[in-house]
């Protein structure tokens, strides 16, 4: 799952250019996914996503140029008002259902879909258990890692199937990619977008570390704003566990997100996972 900066942004008053700076990222199709998402969604919902303006999808340094949206990232600091959470749910839901079932059938699955996520997180959790000392770190962290590894080993088969309730997924829970202008939320960053299960997408959003750590959003309050069936709601809770375990692994000392987050984040993530388990 992509979590590090994989592109460079340049902008002026009206446009933004996103240039893909790592060949291992653009070689796997990220510029194409971004451009396709913009060209699919903008004609249908022009006030939800940037307007696609120009692109080079196959050059040495691929880029996508799009219109610049008004507003600031939700994770920019300060209390997030209730009406902003309403707008987040409205925007994400609109994106999910922008494409007809027939149009969805022609799209690839999102990157790091549920089957991939469950498999990779299970393998990673077991590896971390094997290589870390039993007395390393806070007790809550050790317990959460052990309990999370045990849970995902039991649950991986039942949660690794194809999308049960297909939607067009953003494949990105980062609160920084929710742009709030005081009235509505718009969406950016679609380099991993594709067909997904609505429960997996909602779980990706509400359990992203930026949501609780950077934006200080109450995940349950945000989750409650999505109109989900009882069956989808139950799947959300399961996928929340998987994403919470993923972020615990990312935040462990020596792993990619550890140094990018303030002290205490790993313990907070461990407690989140234990609460979900």
């Amino acid at each position: 799952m992509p979590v590090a900066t994989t592109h460079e942004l340049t902008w002026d008053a009206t446009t933004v250019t996103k240039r893909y700076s790592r060949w291992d990222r653009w070689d796997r199709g990220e510029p194409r996914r971004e451009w396709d998402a913009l060209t699919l969604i903008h004609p249908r919902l022009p006030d939800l996503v940037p307007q696609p303006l120009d692109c080079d999808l196959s050059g040495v340094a691929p880029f996508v140029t799009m219109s610049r949206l008004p507003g600031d990232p939700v994770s920019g600091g300060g209390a997030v008002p209730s009406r902003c959470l309403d707008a987040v749910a409205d925007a994400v839901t609109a994106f999910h259902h922008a494409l007809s079932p027939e149009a969805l059938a022609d799209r690839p699955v999102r990157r790091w879909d549920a089957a991939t996520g469950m498999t990779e997180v299970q393998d990673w959790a077991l590896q971390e258990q094997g290589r870390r000392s039993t007395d390393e770190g806070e007790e809550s962290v050790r317990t959460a890692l052990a309990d999370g590894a045990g849970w995902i080993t039991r649950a991986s088969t039942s949660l690794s199937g194809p999308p049960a309730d297909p939607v067009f997924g953003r494949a990105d829970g980062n609160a920084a990619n929710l742009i709030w202008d005081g009235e509505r939320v718009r969406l950016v960053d679609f380099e991993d977008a594709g067909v997904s299960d609505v429960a997996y997408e909602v779980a990706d959003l509400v359990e992203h570390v930026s949501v609780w750590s950077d934006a200080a959003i109450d995940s349950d309050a945000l989750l409650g704003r999505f109109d989900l069936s009882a069956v989808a709601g139950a799947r959300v809770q399961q996928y929340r566990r998987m994403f919470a375990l993923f972020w615990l692994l990312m935040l462990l000392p020596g792993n990619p997100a550890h140094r990018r987050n303030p002290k205490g984040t790993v313990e907070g993530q461990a407690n989140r996972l234990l609460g979900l388990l």
Side-chain angles (χ1 to χ4, degrees):
M1 183 179 189
V3 292
T5 299
T6 61
H7 51 264
E8 299 171 355
L9 296 178
T10 57
W11 60 86
D12 58 26
T14 59
T15 68
V16 175
T17 294
K18 182 175 183 178
R19 192 172 299 277
Y20 297 81
S21 55
R22 285 177 50 181
W23 72 267
D24 60 321
R25 297 289 182 172
W26 57 258
D27 190 52
R28 70 188 193 184
E30 288 186 355
R32 168 59 65 185
R33 284 180 184 261
E34 184 102 42
W35 183 254
D36 284 353
L38 292 172
T39 56
L40 283 166
I41 302 299
H42 187 267
R44 294 169 168 85
L45 298 169
D47 204 28
L48 181 66
V49 303
Q51 179 183 1
L53 300 174
D54 191 15
C55 70
D56 178 355
L57 305 180
S58 59
V60 174
F63 70 86
V64 170
T65 299
M66 65 199 85
S67 62
R68 184 173 178 178
L69 299 178
D72 298 297
V74 168
S75 59
V80 177
S82 177
R83 67 182 186 279
C84 178
L85 297 187
D86 293 338
V88 169
D90 289 345
V92 171
T93 299
F95 188 93
H96 286 168
H97 299 288
L99 301 186
S100 68
E102 293 75 20
L104 275 181
D106 293 332
R107 307 310 310 161
V109 297
R110 62 163 278 176
R111 287 198 56 82
W112 218 72
D113 62 338
T116 303
M118 292 295 293
T119 299
E120 292 190 0
V121 173
Q122 179 184 357
D123 291 345
W124 193 8
L126 294 175
Q127 290 169 7
E128 289 290 342
Q129 276 196 298
R131 77 182 185 87
R132 292 186 181 272
S133 169
T134 57
D135 61 354
E136 182 178 354
E138 296 282 344
E139 181 179 357
S140 61
V141 176
R142 298 195 306 271
T143 301
L145 179 57
D147 289 359
W151 168 79
I152 200 168
T153 299
R154 297 189 300 272
S156 59
T157 301
S158 62
L159 293 174
S160 296
D165 190 356
V167 296
F168 193 51
R170 296 187 309 128
D172 182 2
N174 193 339
N177 294 322
L178 306 168
I179 309 301
W180 166 243
D181 68 358
E183 296 292 332
R184 64 172 302 162
V185 165
R186 297 174 177 86
L187 308 174
V188 297
D189 203 350
F190 312 118
E191 62 197 32
D192 293 323
V195 179
S196 184
D197 180 15
V198 68
Y200 192 71
E201 291 301 302
V202 172
D204 189 356
L205 172 63
V206 301
E207 282 307 316
H208 198 283
V209 67
S210 66
V211 168
W212 73 267
S213 180
D214 299 342
I217 291 173
D218 182 332
S219 293
D220 290 326
L222 177 55
L223 175 60
R225 285 165 162 82
F226 287 92
D227 184 15
L228 300 170
S229 69
V231 175
R235 290 200 313 280
V236 168
Q237 295 304 323
Q238 294 287 75
Y239 287 131
R240 286 183 71 181
R241 293 174 173 180
M242 190 218 79
F243 281 108
L245 176 56
F246 166 80
W247 282 111
L248 176 62
L249 295 166
M250 285 291 296
L251 289 161
L252 289 174
N255 287 351
H258 181 70
R259 292 192 177 186
R260 297 202 305 269
N261 288 274
K263 185 177 180 180
T265 306
V266 65
E267 291 80 8
Q269 186 64 44
N271 288 328
R272 285 184 69 84
L273 175 56
L274 288 171
L276 289 167
L277 290 172

